[in-house]
Amino acid sequence: NHIEKYKRQLKIMRMNGYRLLRLINNLIDITRIDAGFYSLDLQNYDIISLVKTIVFSLEDYISKQELQLEFCCDIDRLEMACDPDKIERILLNLLSNAVKFTQKGGELRVSIQKKDQDVMISITDTGIGIPEEKLSSIFERFIQVENTLTRNHEGSGIGLSLVKAIAEMHQGSVSVKSKVNKGSEFTVQLPIIRLEPEAVDRRKT
């Protein structure tokens, strides 16, 4: 059936286009960081609504990969200073990795928790996992987990280093827990800081 063949080809072209766009954006951002031209546009945002919107914008894509998506949060609203575009870059990189390294029929889980004066955003998958000896270097630039489990998965080795850089620019951090053939959990920890009204007004002028 020619129509079905063209539909499959279009789907492959679209997915490869998204991958290429994400790679280009990562490369641009890393270059800007190295040059000292990368800064945050901080405003007070409801981080819960922001994360939820970004995650569910990927719901169809994740479903088409035959993966289940679960979003867990017991907080209705949490306003804090952040750069929404940079938070989106963090989530896109972590979720794309989770999709890439999780076999069909697997599950992805995004959760948000408040812990003292920090917000914890976790992305958990049931994928192939990361060997223990690789965990200490996983956020280094251009590092890829190279073994027989991941040989068929393309990647630039830039995404996680960018996630780390953006989290640290927000005065936060990123960590990982993983077991081979069990899955991985990446957690971004961000301090709950709010801009004072006069600071917000100055940024608008």
Side-chain angles (χ1 to χ4, degrees), residues 126-162:
T126 57
I128 62 176
I130 303 165
E132 186 175 355
E133 65 271 16
K134 299 288 185 179
L135 289 176
S136 61
S137 61
I138 195 68
F139 295 106
E140 294 178 17
R141 194 179 303 182
F142 303 120
I143 292 294
Q144 286 272 286
V145 179
E146 296 177 356
N147 58 29
T148 55
L149 291 175
T150 61
R151 192 170 293 161
N152 295 324
H153 298 276
E154 83 287 350
S156 64
I158 296 173
L160 289 179
S161 66
L162 182 59

Side-chain angles (χ1 to χ4, degrees), residues 104-115:
K104 293 180 179 180
E107 299 177 2
L108 308 184
R109 184 174 184 267
V110 179
S111 65
I112 309 177
Q113 292 180 315
K114 183 176 180 293
K115 183 178 180 181

Side-chain angles (χ1 to χ4, degrees), residues 80-94:
M80 58 180 281
C82 66
D83 184 327
D85 291 336
K86 307 301 190 298
I87 298 298
E88 181 178 37
R89 182 78 81 242
I90 284 176
L91 291 171
L92 288 179
N93 274 293
L94 291 179

Side-chain angles (χ1 to χ4, degrees), residues 3-197:
I3 295 178
E4 290 301 320
K5 179 182 177 181
Y6 291 142
K7 284 182 177 179
R8 287 195 299 271
Q9 291 177 338
L10 182 61
K11 178 181 177 182
I12 292 171
M13 290 172 62
R14 185 184 297 116
M15 289 177 61
N16 286 337
Y18 288 148
R19 291 191 184 111
L20 182 59
L21 180 61
R22 186 167 60 250
L23 172 60
I24 291 171
N25 283 333
N26 285 347
L27 284 168
I28 290 172
D29 283 352
I30 285 292
T31 302
R32 291 175 64 198
I33 287 173
D34 288 346
F37 294 117
Y38 199 75
S39 60
L40 300 181
D41 181 15
L42 293 176
Q43 293 290 334
N44 291 330
Y45 284 91
D46 175 14
I47 192 70
I48 308 301
S49 177
L50 177 62
V51 171
K52 185 184 295 185
T53 298
I54 296 168
V55 169
F56 283 108
S57 71
L58 299 172
E59 188 174 21
D60 285 346
Y61 167 71
I62 292 171
S63 178
K64 287 176 181 177
Q65 308 309 307
E66 299 182 31
L67 300 172
Q68 298 294 317
L69 173 64
E70 181 181 6
F71 181 84
C72 300
C73 180
D74 56 6
I75 310 168
D76 291 331
R77 182 179 175 82
L78 179 57
E79 190 175 90
M80 58 180 281
C82 66
D83 184 327
D85 291 336
K86 307 301 190 298
I87 298 298
E88 181 178 37
R89 182 78 81 242
I90 284 176
L91 291 171
L92 288 179
N93 274 293
L94 291 179
L95 283 168
S96 66
N97 269 1
V99 169
K100 183 166 60 176
F101 294 112
T102 303
Q103 296 179 341
K104 293 180 179 180
E107 299 177 2
L108 308 184
R109 184 174 184 267
V110 179
S111 65
I112 309 177
Q113 292 180 315
K114 183 176 180 293
K115 183 178 180 181
D116 299 326
Q117 295 304 308
D118 294 321
V119 63
M120 319 288 285
I121 305 170
S122 297
I123 290 86
T124 307
D125 64 60
T126 57
I128 62 176
I130 303 165
E132 186 175 355
E133 65 271 16
K134 299 288 185 179
L135 289 176
S136 61
S137 61
I138 195 68
F139 295 106
E140 294 178 17
R141 194 179 303 182
F142 303 120
I143 292 294
Q144 286 272 286
V145 179
E146 296 177 356
N147 58 29
T148 55
L149 291 175
T150 61
R151 192 170 293 161
N152 295 324
H153 298 276
E154 83 287 350
S156 64
I158 296 173
L160 289 179
S161 66
L162 182 59
V163 167
K164 181 176 184 289
I166 295 174
E168 291 177 348
M169 290 179 75
H170 280 85
Q171 301 179 42
S173 62
V174 59
S175 59
V176 59
K177 297 177 182 177
S178 187
K179 290 186 178 180
V180 173
N181 296 321
K182 296 293 185 181
S184 303
E185 178 183 33
F186 287 84
T187 299
V188 178
Q189 181 172 350
L190 303 174
I192 302 171
I193 302 170
R194 295 179 182 85
L195 296 178
E196 295 300 324

